[in-house]
Structures are given as C-alpha cells and as structure tokens.
Amino acid sequence: MQQLKPAEILEVTIQSGVNRAAYSFRQLIMLGFLAGAFISLAGAGANMAGFYFLADPATSGIGRMISGIIFPAGLIMVFLAGGELFTGNNMMIAAVLDKKISISSMLRNWLVVYLANLISSMIIAWLIVYSGMLNAGDGLLNEVTVGIAVSKVSLSFGQAFVRAIFCNFLVCLAVWIANGADSTIGKIFGIFFPILLFVTAGFEHSVANMFSIAIGIFADSGATAGLTWTAFLVNNLLPVTLGNIAGGGFFVTGTYYLAYKRYEKA
C-alpha cells in the first residue's frame, strides 16, 4: 500500500463520518468515555514530565515542548485502540457536506461524545488528585497544575476562541494525515508532530481542558479566587468548544471538501 493522496483521504474521512453517525447510544457513551480517559491520562503524563520547567516562566517553553512530546500518546490511543473524541469527530462535517449523513445525526454524535468525554475526564482528574500524584516535586506539580487551570479560565472569550481554532486545525490535520498513512508507524508519526506543535504553542483543546481545568479545581479546593466551575464552563469550555468546531470542522475539513469535492459534484 501507499500513502493515500489528499482526495482519497477525503473519501476515507467522509466514510468515517457515515460510520460514526450509525453508532448506537451505548457505543458512543463507551467509546467517548474511553477517549476522554486516554486524553486525560496523556495530560497527566505530560504535566508530570514538564512541571519542573513549566514552573519557571523562563523555561516554560521547554516545559511545553516536553509535555508536547508526551501528550500525543492520547490521540494515538484514541486513533489506534478505538475511541470517540469530540474534537476529531468535528470532521464529520465532511459527510454532512457530501449529503451522506444529516446535520441532526452529526449533532447527536457530538453531544453524546462530548458529554462522555467530559464525564470521563472529570473522573480521571478527581482520581489523580485523590491518588496523591500531585505531591510530586514537594507539591510543585500541584502548584503548576492549579496555575495551568487559572491561566486557562483567565483568557478572554476571543483569546480562547482563536487558540482553539489553531488547536483543532492541528488536531484534525493529525487525524487527516493518519487516515492516509499505510502503516501503524506512519499513523503514529502523522499524529505525533501536529499534536507536539499544538501543545508546545499553547493552543486550547476542549477535551484536554476538561481534564486540565477540572484537576486544577479539584487540587485547589476553592483556595484561588476565580477558579470555579462557572469560570471553567463559561470562560473556557464554551469559547474553546466553538473554536475547535471552527478550526477542525470548517478550516480543515471544509477547506479540503471545497478543494476536492465541491466543484466535482457541481
């Protein structure tokens, strides 16, 4: 086999959307739960790997890069082991544009998967705090974890939205490349570099934030002003979710559809 060409990848993406639209409620819940866990565990590992450098503004870029080397494991597990991840499923827009599935079936998938990702991420976040893992580095990991959460809920709506566009542009591009790879190692490398880039740059991923902000809230226990569930949902998750849909659904998937299918079907 050979690496698929972009027009062929689009066909794979469309068929993937059709398949996902046919999943039962039970499948979406279970696979969404797994994907949320995969991303959360990758986030926990990324924080553990980079917290020493993340604690110092002068070395925060190095810390993000180290975290970025670890975090791609989350999407690799979702893609290869199986899981339903909201951000990747934004690519179902291709199947809607091709009139293979309805908007309502796409939104059904998004809603169920989003809630499953959220519940799973929050459970993993609470369990990690309960386990005492954040005591690493004489509590420095706990401090960094809370700081990350605070920084995310402190973004303006516009800042969070734009960073989320960039993020899911790269995440869906990673899935796009992996869809075209002809080997497991090709799929891994196709995912690795775009995800490394988004983490190092500091872009905003809704499912990753379900974990990283929730764990900050659990670890902080109300000690830091402004770090609340309302701030999590309104200040960050809302604009980031919308930005992710725009970045992955329209700027990646929609653009490729217009490039390879729109005028072919006209």
Side-chain angles (χ1 to χ4, degrees):
M1 294 180 63
Q2 294 182 338
Q3 168 79 23
L4 297 180
K5 296 179 180 179
E8 296 171 321
I9 298 174
L10 178 60
E11 296 300 331
V12 172
T13 301
I14 291 170
Q15 186 57 48
S16 175
V18 173
N19 296 342
R20 284 180 156 78
Y23 283 168
S24 69
F25 179 80
R26 176 182 59 83
Q27 287 175 308
L28 293 177
I29 287 289
M30 300 304 294
L31 294 173
F33 190 91
L34 285 173
F38 294 157
I39 297 299
S40 296
L41 292 172
N47 286 348
M48 179 66 79
F51 78 88
Y52 178 81
F53 295 98
L54 290 169
D56 185 347
T59 58
S60 62
I62 296 173
R64 287 181 177 181
M65 183 184 69
I66 293 171
S67 295
I69 292 171
I70 303 299
F71 190 75
L75 186 56
I76 291 169
M77 289 188 286
V78 171
F79 193 91
L80 295 181
E84 288 293 293
L85 186 67
F86 170 75
T87 46
N89 286 11
N90 291 161
M91 298 178 77
M92 290 176 69
I93 284 177
V96 172
L97 292 173
D98 211 48
K99 300 181 180 179
K100 296 292 177 59
I101 65 173
S102 65
I103 293 176
S104 61
S105 63
M106 178 185 72
L107 294 178
R108 166 185 173 271
N109 176 285
W110 285 4
L111 178 60
V112 177
V113 168
Y114 190 88
L115 292 175
N117 290 166
L118 177 61
I119 293 169
S120 176
S121 299
M122 292 178 65
I123 290 173
I124 297 296
W126 185 86
L127 287 173
I128 287 176
V129 172
Y130 177 77
S131 73
M133 290 175 61
L134 297 187
N135 294 327
D138 290 330
L140 182 60
L141 176 55
N142 191 94
E143 180 181 330
V144 169
T145 298
V146 173
I148 290 171
V150 170
S151 68
K152 289 180 177 295
V153 301
S154 300
L155 295 172
S156 70
F157 189 100
Q159 288 173 326
F161 181 77
V162 171
R163 294 186 191 192
I165 290 176
F166 289 143
C167 173
N168 215 30
F169 186 97
L170 291 168
V171 170
C172 288
L173 188 60
V175 174
W176 180 272
I177 296 169
N179 278 339
D182 65 348
S183 66
T184 299
I185 192 64
K187 294 179 186 299
I188 289 172
F189 274 98
I191 291 170
F192 180 82
F193 289 102
I195 304 305
L196 169 63
L197 180 56
F198 113 62
V199 176
T200 303
F203 299 144
E204 296 289 308
H205 186 276
S206 56
V207 181
N209 287 0
M210 291 173 185
F211 168 78
S212 60
I213 300 178
I215 194 172
I217 293 173
F218 289 135
D220 190 55
S221 300
T224 302
L227 186 55
T228 65
W229 292 110
T230 299
F232 166 39
L233 296 173
V234 177
N235 295 2
N236 187 275
L237 203 54
L238 175 60
V240 170
T241 299
L242 295 175
N244 285 168
I245 293 171
F250 295 101
F251 287 106
V252 173
T253 313
T255 300
Y256 277 124
Y257 186 85
L258 289 174
Y260 291 111
K261 291 282 282 190
R262 175 66 180 88
Y263 296 105
E264 172 189 310
K265 295 176 71 69

